[in-house]
Amino acid sequence: MKMTAQEYARRIRKAGPPSPLGVDCLWAFCVGGGICLLGEVLRGRYLAMGAEPELAGTLVSCSLIALSAVLTTLGVYQKLAAHAGAGSLVPITGFANAVVSAAIEFKSEGYVPGTGAKMFLIAGPVIVYGTLSAVLYGGILWLVQWIGLV
Amino acid sequence: MGSRQGDTLLFDTPPVIAAQAAVGGKKEGEGPLAAMFDELCGDNRCGQSSWETAEKYLMLRAARLCLKKADLPQEEVSLVLAGDLQAQCTASGYAMRELGVPFAGVFGACSTMAESLAMGAALCSAGFAPNLLAAASSHFCAAERQFRTPLSYGAVRTPTAQWTATAAGCCLLRPAGEGVRIPAAAFGRVQDLGVRDINNMGAAMAPAAAATLTCFLQDTRTQPQDYDCIYTGDLGQVGSQLFRELLAAEGLVVKNHLDCGCILFDAKQQTVKSGASGPGCCAAVLCGHILPRLLRGSQKRVLFLATGALMSQTTFLQKESIPAVAHLVELRAPEQEGSQ
């Protein structure tokens, strides 16, 4: 071929239609914001029902996870996510979707080697690096306190 | 027999495609080419227990329908050359378990149909196969869970991404007789211009298509305009654009190019981004759309050029670039009295 890899890479950037950034951001903002708003409404309800603030927060997380799991099973969450992008990926509902979708998908390979083994296929790295980050920041905090800065 | 000119195989007595069948899934049945399929599944499970068995079903249905159209009992099939996208080509292997005929698995990713046809034509021409089946299939759901993410995982598809077709196509090849003729075929050389984006397969495969076509035209001393149409397999909108730009850099202006991946779905209405892909895409379009056109005589001479990306999930994760290959088959309308 007469075209070089560099020239071809330049042509690819021109040929590929760019992602509609404005529309994508608006979707992400509205859906992500909507999920957070729903969380706030639920938290208000739980507080009104007499729950302690900390318990109310936990209940909100549980409710959103359950809602996402149900919507994923019904095939609704992914349709919303196809437009919302990070708006539905970043909140806790996105994490629930990642776990539930893999659990459903690999059921055909059995409950142990399929659902059980592959449930955390996508969510696994989040847990691994989330835990690692927590250890790292915990260490820094301990060090800072030990030196006496805080 | 035949002769070889450069990379091109020229058959003295062109083998023929005596019958063909195309089977599709739900989305294919909602697209602009719905009427061309011999059979459509209302849902992508096709009444099977998994996506993988559904693809096996599609492949088997295409083979059985093809044999039925040719009125040929399966015992008389001398060889099946078939392939798919599933790991270890299981859709083809499991489908052929049901048929019980000699079978050789073929893997050329999305180029499988052209590869099977070219190999089949060579075997027919050499007198090794009086009745040979060439087939390819793909299934959106089986491919998604193998190459990307679970189906119900929420993710945005990039504008360059393509949609794997849920379809299968099967052709019956014979050394001579009635049907669309295959006077020439060419196996391509693997090309790699450094594309690493798994969501832009068209860009990864376009150099292979351009290289094989350029080589074939040189070998046969023909021009693009000598053909009624040059069909590529599944370059999609983005890949097709790049294919034409690569050819222009070689000094070739191609105005009669059509991509099977661009015509199987209505890209906007069916939200498939850059178009369709998968071995089943061009296999079904060939059997349902291209061959019937040649049989009707609305086209006389076309090129069928299918491209395949030869990476795996492992090489992709290891950040290797995506090599691709394109195989080409020349197709001519059936011989008619008074014509050449």
Side-chain angles (χ1 to χ4, degrees), chain A residues 24 27-28 31 35 67-89 93-94 97-98 101, chain B residues 26-27 30 44 140 149-157 163 270-271 273:
Chain A
D24 282 357
W27 264 102
V31 174
I35 293 169
L67 182 69
S68 171
V70 170
L71 291 180
T72 300
T73 314
L74 294 174
V76 178
Y77 198 82
Q78 54 272 37
K79 283 184 185 153
L80 182 72
H83 298 289
S88 59
L89 183 85
T93 48
N97 167 252
S101 64
Chain B
K26 183 169 180 282
K27 204 176 185 81
E30 293 162 354
N44 284 344
F140 172 77
T149 52
L151 288 169
S152 43
Y153 177 65
V156 179
R157 298 178 84 82
W163 190 279
Q270 296 184 284
T271 58
K273 305 293 179 185

Side-chain angles (χ1 to χ4, degrees), chain B residues 16-75:
Chain B
V16 297
I17 299 173
Q20 72 281 333
V23 182
K26 183 169 180 282
K27 204 176 185 81
E28 291 66 27
E30 293 162 354
L33 296 186
M36 72 171 206
F37 285 94
D38 293 280
E39 196 171 284
L40 286 163
C41 290
D43 84 291
N44 284 344
R45 279 270 179 181
C46 307
Q48 307 296 308
S49 59
S50 69
W51 306 122
E52 286 74 18
T53 40
E55 185 177 345
K56 180 212 99 178
Y57 174 85
L58 290 175
M59 168 77 83
L60 189 59
R61 281 306 296 160
R64 289 220 160 114
L65 283 168
C66 183
L67 291 175
K68 192 178 165 198
K69 283 164 93 174
D71 199 17
L72 184 79
Q74 65 192 55
E75 296 76 33

